[in-house]
Structures are given as C-alpha cells and as structure tokens.
Amino acid sequence: MKKRNTAAFTFLAWISFVAACLAMYIGIYFLNEPLVVKGYYAVTAAFLIMSSFVLQKVVRDNYEDEEKTKQIGKD
C-alpha cells in the first residue's frame, strides 16, 4: 500500500505545528496582561489544540467508515 504523505511533508507538518504553538505561547508569555488573563489564554489555546486533533481524527474515521460501507455495498 502506498503512503499518502512523504516523510518530508510529514516533517513539515509537524514543524509548522510546533512553530505555531511556540509562537502562540511566546506571544501569551509576553502579553502585557495580568497572569489570570495569560492563564485563560494559555488554557484555551491548549484546549483548541487538543480539540483540533480530536476533530481531525473523528472526521478521518468517519470518512474511512463511509468508504468501507460503500465497499461492502458493492460486494
């Protein structure tokens, strides 16, 4: 079975993800707001990251399940 993504593309995706997270948290760290505001932004950013991974997995799993159902219907 052929892989959908090359190693270079996978590396690029992870590096861009890490860079975006670092930039976001560095921005929060240097934000000129009280600690409670920084904490709120940091927690909501972490929640956004986690929910993005979960959403991506659910969408992919649903798509793959639909494809399997279509295959079974053809047999």
Side-chain angles (χ1 to χ4, degrees), residues 5-43:
N5 299 314
T6 64
F9 185 74
T10 302
F11 177 76
L12 177 67
W14 276 107
I15 290 299
S16 64
F17 172 75
V18 169
C21 288
L22 280 173
M24 180 175 51
Y25 282 109
I26 289 170
I28 291 171
Y29 179 78
F30 287 109
L31 187 64
N32 193 14
E33 291 291 333
L35 188 57
V36 68
V37 173
K38 289 181 180 184
Y40 172 77
Y41 287 154
V43 168

Side-chain angles (χ1 to χ4, degrees), residues 26-71:
I26 289 170
I28 291 171
Y29 179 78
F30 287 109
L31 187 64
N32 193 14
E33 291 291 333
L35 188 57
V36 68
V37 173
K38 289 181 180 184
Y40 172 77
Y41 287 154
V43 168
T44 54
F47 182 67
L48 179 62
I49 292 167
M50 185 267 317
S51 63
S52 296
F53 276 103
V54 172
L55 176 63
Q56 180 275 332
K57 182 188 181 320
V58 168
V59 169
R60 184 195 65 213
D61 290 348
N62 289 343
Y63 176 78
E64 289 175 354
D65 290 346
E66 288 175 12
E67 291 298 311
K68 286 179 184 177
T69 303
K70 288 178 185 176
Q71 281 291 340

